[in-house]
Structure formats: C-alpha cells, structure tokens
Amino acid sequence: MKELSRLLAGAPALVVGLAIASSAPAQSLTLSFATNTAPNNMRGEAETMFIEELEKASDGDIAVVPYWGASLMEGAEIMGGVRDGVADMGFVNINYYPNQLLLNSAYNLFPKGPAEYENIAWAFDQMYERIPELDEEFADQNQRIVYKYGVTPYAGVFKSPVETLDDMEGLRVRAASRWYLNLLEGAGATPVSMPWGDLYQGLQTGSIDGVFTNIDGIHRASLDEAAPNVYFMPDLWLAIPFIITINEDKWQSLSAEQQEAFATAAENAGERFADVWDGTIDRILQEQEEAGYNIVTASDEAVETFAGLPEVETNQEMWSEEASAAGAEDPAAILSQFDEVISEAIGR
C-alpha cells in the first residue's frame, strides 16, 4: 500500500484520476416515480412488476423510488409533473387529459374489444406502432411511454337489480369519460359525473343509482358493497392503456444499455402481469359471489346492442371534429387504424 501511494504521488494528475476511477464502483441511476394507486392492488401489482423487472434488466444499475397513493402528486397532476421534472417517471391515465391527449382518447370510441389480456396488450402495442400521432402527443408533453398495461373489463354496479340493458332505463349512472356517459344515455340511463372518491357515499345516500367502470376498480373501492347488483360485460374492454412515462430529458441522459433495459423490463413485466389479470377477474367474481352479491353476466346480444348504439357513431363524429379543430391532419385515418387493430385483436 505504501508503495502504491509513493508511485501515485509522483504520477501525473491524469494517471491518478484514472487509478481512482478504476477502483470506484459504477454509479447507479435512481429514478423517482409518481402514481396515484397503492401498491397492494391490481394496478399496484402491474407497476411494481415493471419496477422489479427494470432493476433486473439493468443488473441493479437502475433503481426506482415509487411515491404511491398520490403521495407526491394527485393523479391529474402527474403528467405535468413528469413534464416539468417534478418526478422522473409517472403514471398517466389518458382520461385525465382530454385536451392534451385528445388523439389518445380515441380508445374510448370503440366499446367492444379483445377479451384476453395477450390480445389487449398486442392491440395497445400495435396502436402506437401504426399511429405515430399518439406518441407525438406525449412528446409534446416532454415525455415518452416506457410501459403500458391494461385493466379489467367493464361492469356496472347498481342499487337495484340490472339483468338487461333495459333495466338501466332512468337510472342515474356514473362513468369516467364523457364518451361513456354518452353511451349510457344511449342505453337509457341518466349519465352522471361524480369524483371517484365520492362514489361510495353517493351510492349509499342514493345520490346515484349505479357506477359503470372496470370491475377491478369497482371491487377495490367496495362499490359492489354499496351497490350489490353486478352487471358484468367481459367483452366491453376498458380500452385505454394505463401508461408509465419518463421525462424526455431524463431519457436522453440514459446510456444505450439503460434504455434497452426499459424495453426488456416492459416485455417481461407484461408477461408476468397477464397471469395477474386473468386471476384477478376470477378472484373478484368469486369474492362477490361469496359476499352474496347478485351477479349477472351480460349476454352476447346485450354486448352487441351496446357496442352498436347510435351514440358510438356520434362519439366518433364528435371526436373527429374536435381532433380536426385541434390540428390533426386526418382524424378519419386514425379512427380507421383503431378499428382495424381492434378487429384484428378480437380475431386473433
């Protein structure tokens, strides 16, 4: 050791620097991640799997510090926070940003979709591969997509029994997007907007008669406890992908190896999550049955009727007008690509 010190003392500064650098451990990258979900539910599992796979794919070079349950930012604030560098990565729900992600919202215009997770994930990948305008909307927000996952199909929960679409007539029903509110109105319901956090109390007090959303979200928030009549529509997919993005400036600072780790992590996490997706639906239905809830699975005819409501075409026309006014060059071509991909996914 003394000999090494003597040699270094007489060495040029550059040599000293190289000697020190060669003995120092490689620096790891730590990224912050903001989400509005908890880690102990289906969405939390999907996001945890991606974080785990990213660490594996990078051989521990990339670490992620998650901020769960809107502890850093509320859900609707996250995209802006990632854009501005408040968080390096974040969860994005397209429905929260009807103006900034108008083209991405076209997912909501196609009620019927693939019923198997493998085909859902395939459809999401194909959309972004065939329609570059979708990625461009995220690029305009100074971020890029690094992971996409899907959640469970639609169901309604109601205070009174609903066994057919006709039973929705006159019921005050809440949905998340204006596009689905229009469809519910077409089905005879009275569409209602209400914040997610108020739904349980709204059902309990009778302010609303039902909620129409993904069955996992329903069960996670115990909405089926407050409205124990479940109308499950497994062929009505919740079409929007749930997305994790990374700040573009941060992305550009990554090495090629680190960027490749993201792609590997996305693929591996998607394969793991497929099993969770299938198992979650089975578990929820079993728990609802054990709790004594009234569960009705919609008939094929009911699904076709809902997917063929005149309001589906009205929504697409309205969306096309808004997309054109926002500067989209060919909204009809975008809708055609969506329709083509979804049809292929259903037929796989």
Side-chain angles (χ1 to χ4, degrees):
M1 194 68 183
K2 291 182 179 178
E3 183 64 18
L4 176 61
S5 299
R6 184 185 64 78
L7 290 172
L8 290 177
L14 177 60
V15 175
V16 174
L18 290 173
I20 294 173
S22 64
S23 63
Q27 291 297 306
S28 296
L29 173 68
T30 300
L31 301 172
S32 56
F33 169 59
T35 184
N36 64 343
T37 196
N40 59 342
N41 59 50
M42 184 181 182
R43 275 192 49 211
E45 284 189 82
E47 295 173 13
T48 297
M49 286 176 181
F50 177 69
I51 292 170
E52 292 173 348
E53 292 299 331
L54 184 57
E55 182 175 347
K56 291 179 185 177
S58 65
D59 292 327
D61 182 50
I62 301 175
V64 177
V65 177
Y67 291 85
W68 299 105
S71 58
L72 183 61
M73 290 175 279
E74 295 295 328
E77 300 171 335
I78 294 176
M79 187 170 74
V82 173
R83 178 195 62 211
D84 298 336
V86 177
D88 299 315
M89 299 164 54
F91 162 78
V92 173
N93 182 337
I94 290 166
N95 284 335
Y96 292 167
Y97 311 98
N99 297 320
Q100 300 99 315
L101 299 178
L102 174 60
L103 301 185
N104 279 267
S105 73
Y107 282 101
N108 288 307
L109 306 176
F110 299 88
K112 186 179 179 182
E116 296 180 359
Y117 189 76
E118 178 184 354
N119 295 335
I120 291 171
W122 179 87
F124 290 158
D125 288 341
Q126 290 297 307
M127 295 297 190
Y128 288 93
E129 184 175 317
R130 301 187 196 183
I131 310 172
E133 293 92 337
L134 302 182
D135 274 323
E136 288 169 8
E137 284 191 320
F138 283 92
D140 289 343
Q141 298 298 317
N142 193 39
Q143 55 206 282
R144 68 172 57 212
I145 297 170
V146 291
Y147 186 52
K148 304 180 290 290
Y149 66 94
V151 292
T152 52
Y154 271 102
V157 285
F158 303 95
K159 299 285 287 184
S160 58
V162 169
E163 299 185 354
T164 68
L165 290 178
D166 291 340
D167 292 333
M168 291 190 195
E169 183 75 33
L171 298 182
R172 296 160 298 172
V173 185
R174 185 265 191 191
S177 75
R178 59 179 175 137
W179 310 112
Y180 259 87
L181 289 172
N182 291 342
L183 296 184
L184 288 172
E185 186 172 22
T190 300
V192 177
S193 294
M194 181 178 286
W196 179 260
D198 296 341
L199 295 184
Y200 187 92
Q201 184 175 4
L203 290 167
Q204 277 194 320
T205 61
S207 299
I208 55 175
D209 302 308
V211 175
F212 199 71
T213 188
N214 61 303
I215 195 168
D216 170 59
I218 285 170
H219 194 56
R220 184 175 68 248
S222 299
L223 302 182
D224 45 8
E225 177 183 86
N229 297 283
V230 182
Y231 190 58
F232 184 39
M233 306 186 79
D235 289 326
L236 291 187
W237 67 330
L238 198 150
I240 62 164
F242 281 11
I243 287 171
I244 295 177
T245 66
I246 187 171
N247 175 278
E248 182 64 25
D249 298 327
K250 178 62 69 172
W251 175 262
Q252 294 299 334
S253 74
L254 304 182
S255 68
E257 292 79 10
Q258 289 170 332
Q259 291 179 355
E260 181 61 30
F262 274 86
T264 301
E267 181 178 355
N268 293 341
E271 292 177 358
R272 287 177 59 189
F273 184 64
D275 292 335
V276 171
W277 193 89
D278 291 333
T280 296
I281 296 174
D282 294 339
R283 175 183 57 79
I284 289 172
L285 293 173
Q286 180 179 346
E287 291 178 358
Q288 289 176 332
E289 184 177 352
E290 291 173 353
Y293 304 155
N294 177 34
I295 305 169
V296 175
T297 299
S299 67
D300 293 341
E301 291 77 14
V303 172
E304 293 299 332
T305 297
F306 192 89
L309 289 169
E311 284 73 16
V312 173
E313 184 175 349
T314 302
N315 278 348
Q316 293 181 3
E317 291 172 353
M318 186 185 309
W319 179 91
S320 294
E321 292 174 2
E322 294 180 6
S324 181
E329 292 185 4
D330 195 349
I334 293 175
L335 290 181
S336 178
Q337 287 281 13
F338 268 92
D339 189 39
E340 182 178 321
V341 169
I342 293 168
S343 296
E344 290 178 22
I346 292 173
R348 290 180 88 221

